[in-house]
Amino acid sequence: MVSDKKVLNVEDLRVCFDTYRGEVQAVRGVSFDVCEGEALAIVGESGCGKSVTAHAVTRLLPEPPARITGGRINLDGTDVVNAGKKTLQGMRGSAVGMIFQDPMTSLNPTMTVGKQLREALLRHNPGMGLKDAELKAAELLSEVRIPNAAQRFSQYPSQFSGGMRQRVMIAIAIACKPKLLIADEPTTALDVTTQAQILDLLKSIQSANRMAIILITHDLSVASCLVDRVAVMYAGQIVEKGLAKQIFQTAAHPYTWGLMDSLPRPDQDKSRDLNTIAGSPPSLLSPPAECSFAPRCHFCMQVCSQRQPPGFELGPGHTCSCWLHHPMAADMLKQAKEASGHV
Amino acid sequence: MCDSEFIVRVRSLKKYFKVGKHGSLKAVDDVSLDIRRGETLSLVGESGCGKSTLGRTIIGAYAPTSGSVSFDGEDLTAMSPRQRKRFALKAQMIFQDPYSALNPRMIVGDIVAQGLDIHQLCRGEARDRRIAELLTMVGLSPNAADRFPHEFSGGQLQRVGIARALAVNPEFLVCDEPISALDVSIQAQIVNLLRKLKEMKLTNLFIAHDLNMVRYISDRTAVMYLGRVVELGESDAVSRSPLHPYTRALISAVPQINGGETENTPALLEGEIPSPIHPPEGCAFFGRCPHAAKVCEKTRPPLMETEAGRYTACLMLGGSQDSYGG
């Protein structure tokens, strides 16, 4: 299903925010690509830069205070970093669609759901008539499995539940069949049952339209339901990336271990405390030049607090930025794996 | 003071909210349950099932429409204002969103000491010492006392909220989704902190929707659906072998990391929770239940003991009718 044709290519992306305290370096040299029909998850804690990365791809960041200070973004042939306003407006909606965390604040409360859907269609299809747009909009509503689509068409967002609103958001995002769908924490505000419904919907839409998806989440278990590849972000950098199988079975970075262990498993021993990652992420006002995870890492070595680790290639497509994977640290790595239980 | 096994007893509790001129929203509809002294009882369910309303009614933040709540043998609904104030020394609450639960214009020390000040428990140096002690207990530095809430992260603010609740040495704590707004790694820290509190002989009513977390933290679990308790039992038993079809659906909807090899789609529960303004006549779960029979449409299933210590409200499961899940 996944082809080699790249929909999105991000190289060494750097984004900062100008604040009164100085420059916050939210994204510090992030590179990844997404192929046609592929789902990539960007996972990390709040403030790690995962949303900023996704918003930079669509250039939806408020500029100023945000600034893209370096790197390249190539979205389906468009140079996003240097594109003009017109190009960007044409690109949003038709080449890339976006779903946000809170469906209530992303829908217009004073417009009927149908009108908002129709707006997206008319904007990107200049030749389309009002009647056609309405028909297509009703079709989209049933495509995202909203019951009584025809009746729901003329209702307002306040008459929809959270899960239904998120479906409307998805319908708007896929209205013009974008090549890439960015879902920014699409299920965080939803119940587990609704979350399962939305994830299933995203999956079927993806396979029906051969769409690429970037799923942004802080929950690895949500990611494991949907994606082919995972990128783990910490303090504005991707610390580990690889195929879902590689990440979930043979995670290599101590931070990824920490994220996985902080979720209670169904067979969790109740007499033991949950594993946590002590401490908090570094301030990105003056990000450390060494490994940014070193102060919180159980397996920190001397080199970790001196130099930034390069990306070590562990397998096809699996890279990990951690000094433990340096050939000279093989013993240390073995000990760390045993101590953390991620053998 | 009554030292019976149960600290809280809820009997046929109903909480209706008025909607429009004649309508009413049945947020909690005839719930009876007992909370044992020192246990952690979890309330789980989808949003809108009435779990938060039940928690708030139990602690007296809402006046019940009918039914009764008794705390240590005292009827909460019949309390005088003076008794109510004394009750607040025994029962405290932790809220979901730490950003809106704490006054942004007060320094953390004053927030934590609110209970101490209201009940005039200590003053001056003793008050400062107590604040420092509380902040240390929840894993914050005593210096935090002089800072404002906006200087903290969500996880740290939740710790402040917990310190405020603990200030008056309560016996009973209602935690209303204390971890839902937090990151996964921070959730684990707060859960460990709450587990530490358990050792202090606190009784805890833990409202949540994450079932893995619930099994991990609580002794017993009550599953709510549309204002009613549909299943109640030991947490391990409820999550390992759920009996009620709704509990089963809820548990299978929880995503699991499975190594990314096999197809990993959680089982789907079709449809949505019905409106609590016009709840169905019979079983509330009728429209979504895969095992529904004709009888379920018209007959409301009572909460019955299906196994020892295990209560379910499902006509298809049978069981012997018994009292209230004590």
Side-chain angles (χ1 to χ4, degrees), chain A residues 45-46 161 164 191 193 195-197 200 203 218 221 224-225 245 264 266 268 270 272-274 276-277, chain B residues 46-47 183-185 188-189 192 195 212-213 215-216 218 236 255-257 259 261 264-265 268-269 271-272:
Chain A
E45 288 173 282
S46 357
S161 67
M164 283 297 156
D191 282 314
T193 47
Q195 168 172 289
Q197 291 173 355
D200 181 67
K203 215 176 204 176
H218 67 260
S221 56
S224 82
C225 293
K245 194 175 141 190
Q268 183 87 29
K270 279 171 91 167
R272 283 182 50 198
D273 268 3
L274 285 176
T276 57
I277 310 173
Chain B
E46 289 172 277
S47 13
D183 265 335
V184 177
S185 54
Q189 294 176 6
N192 285 345
R195 275 163 54 88
N212 277 340
M213 212 49 114
R215 188 198 72 82
Y216 178 64
S218 59
D236 278 319
Q256 297 293 346
I257 297 179
E261 262 196 337
N264 182 19
T265 317
L268 285 190
L269 185 61
E272 295 200 331

Side-chain angles (χ1 to χ4, degrees), chain A residues 124-182:
Chain A
H124 291 285
N125 303 295
M128 194 181 252
L130 211 59
K131 261 266 156 60
D132 290 340
E134 244 158 51
L135 274 175
K136 181 85 196 34
E139 218 174 88
L140 279 166
L141 283 184
S142 41
E143 198 179 325
V144 294
R145 302 178 199 161
I146 292 181
N148 309 329
Q151 195 190 327
R152 292 295 226 167
F153 191 80
S154 47
Q155 289 185 340
Y156 288 89
S158 59
Q159 292 166 284
F160 285 66
S161 67
M164 283 297 156
R165 278 181 213 141
Q166 198 59 289
R167 285 165 199 269
V168 174
M169 276 308 293
I170 295 176
I172 295 176
I174 62 165
C176 300
K177 301 252 174 286
K179 293 245 168 76
L180 175 68
L181 181 68
I182 299 179

Side-chain angles (χ1 to χ4, degrees), chain B residues 271-283:
Chain B
E272 295 200 331
I273 196 162
S275 158
I277 301 174
H278 305 287
E281 189 186 337
C283 175

Side-chain angles (χ1 to χ4, degrees), chain A residues 71-120:
Chain A
R72 275 182 301 278
I73 302 172
N74 187 323
L75 178 72
D76 199 27
T78 316
D79 175 8
V80 177
V81 176
N82 300 310
K85 216 173 167 182
K86 267 251 158 71
T87 325
L88 288 175
Q89 279 177 357
M91 176 194 90
R92 292 178 198 136
S94 61
V96 54
M98 204 152 176
I99 317 167
F100 302 93
Q101 174 173 349
D102 182 359
M104 194 54 208
T105 49
S106 13
L107 289 169
N108 184 340
T110 66
M111 259 165 100
T112 64
V113 158
K115 210 169 168 189
Q116 296 186 52
L117 251 171
R118 207 176 62 194
E119 194 184 32

Side-chain angles (χ1 to χ4, degrees), chain B:
Chain B
M1 225 10 201
C2 145
D3 275 317
S4 74
E5 188 191 353
F6 302 110
I7 188 165
V8 174
R9 314 197 102 173
V10 179
R11 287 292 170 273
S12 322
L13 189 71
K14 288 182 182 170
K15 175 66 196 170
Y16 295 173
F17 293 100
K18 229 178 143 194
V19 178
K21 258 191 183 152
H22 305 291
S24 66
L25 186 152
K26 298 178 170 119
V28 175
D29 201 6
D30 200 3
V31 167
S32 301
L33 58 92
D34 292 329
I35 304 175
R36 292 184 192 138
R37 201 174 291 279
E39 81 169 342
T40 298
L41 174 72
S42 285
L43 275 181
V44 292
E46 289 172 277
S47 13
C49 73
K51 53 190 193 300
S52 289
T53 308
L54 177 58
R56 287 172 183 223
T57 315
I58 287 176
I59 208 168
Y62 291 143
T65 309
S66 71
S68 72
V69 179
S70 65
F71 185 87
D72 261 346
E74 275 181 281
D75 187 1
L76 252 181
T77 41
M79 274 186 186
S80 68
R82 183 171 295 206
Q83 284 172 314
R84 281 276 350 211
K85 192 174 166 185
R86 233 181 316 130
F87 168 68
L89 279 170
K90 296 188 200 158
Q92 287 286 322
M93 189 154 178
I94 300 169
F95 300 91
Q96 174 173 5
D97 180 6
Y99 294 94
S100 56
L102 306 177
N103 187 339
R105 293 169 186 237
M106 282 167 77
I107 57 169
V108 161
D110 288 339
I111 292 176
V112 170
Q114 266 176 317
L116 303 177
D117 296 343
I118 290 168
H119 298 284
Q120 296 172 347
L121 295 178
C122 51
R123 275 196 273 180
E125 234 175 78
R127 178 178 180 269
D128 292 344
R129 263 204 312 277
R130 178 79 179 135
I131 293 172
E133 184 193 346
L134 285 161
L135 289 174
T136 319
M137 196 193 298
V138 296
L140 291 171
S141 139
N143 306 332
D146 301 324
R147 290 156 66 191
F148 284 95
H150 71 87
E151 298 173 61
F152 295 89
S153 68
Q156 290 171 319
L157 287 182
Q158 198 55 284
R159 289 172 191 268
V160 174
I162 294 172
R164 173 176 67 179
L166 294 179
V168 296
N169 273 329
E171 295 168 34
F172 178 57
L173 207 55
V174 173
C175 304
D176 190 359
E177 307 221 24
I179 55 168
S180 310
L182 306 174
D183 265 335
V184 177
S185 54
I186 312 294
Q187 280 186 5
Q189 294 176 6
I190 298 294
V191 164
N192 285 345
L193 174 61
L194 289 173
R195 275 163 54 88
K196 208 173 82 188
L197 301 182
K198 236 171 130 175
E199 291 157 20
M200 298 164 53
K201 299 252 169 348
L202 260 169
T203 309
N204 200 338
L205 180 67
F206 188 79
I207 301 168
H209 62 249
D210 182 340
L211 278 149
N212 277 340
M213 212 49 114
V214 158
R215 188 198 72 82
Y216 178 64
I217 198 171
S218 59
D219 304 307
R220 289 195 305 153
T221 303
V223 182
M224 279 187 81
Y225 189 74
L226 207 69
R228 302 167 199 171
V229 173
V230 296
E231 181 156 3
L232 173 73
E234 300 290 326
S235 298
D236 278 319
V238 169
S239 60
R240 289 230 172 92
S241 55
L243 293 174
H244 195 279
Y246 177 64
T247 319
R248 267 186 251 162
L250 207 56
I251 284 170
S252 59
V254 179
Q256 297 293 346
I257 297 179
N258 72 343
E261 262 196 337
T262 48
E263 193 69 357
N264 182 19
T265 317
L268 285 190
L269 185 61
E270 291 298 327
E272 295 200 331
I273 196 162
S275 158
I277 301 174
H278 305 287
E281 189 186 337
C283 175
F285 195 53
F286 174 71
R288 303 169 83 182
C289 182
H291 310 291
K294 212 158 188 195
V295 59
C296 303
E297 192 179 356
K298 299 280 180 213
T299 322
R300 185 170 162 173
L303 194 62
M304 291 186 296
E305 186 159 24
T306 15
E307 284 166 23
R310 191 73 180 278
Y311 299 80
T312 37
C314 178
L315 293 172
M316 297 292 105
L317 289 168
S320 63
Q321 187 148 10
D322 192 19
S323 62
Y324 314 119

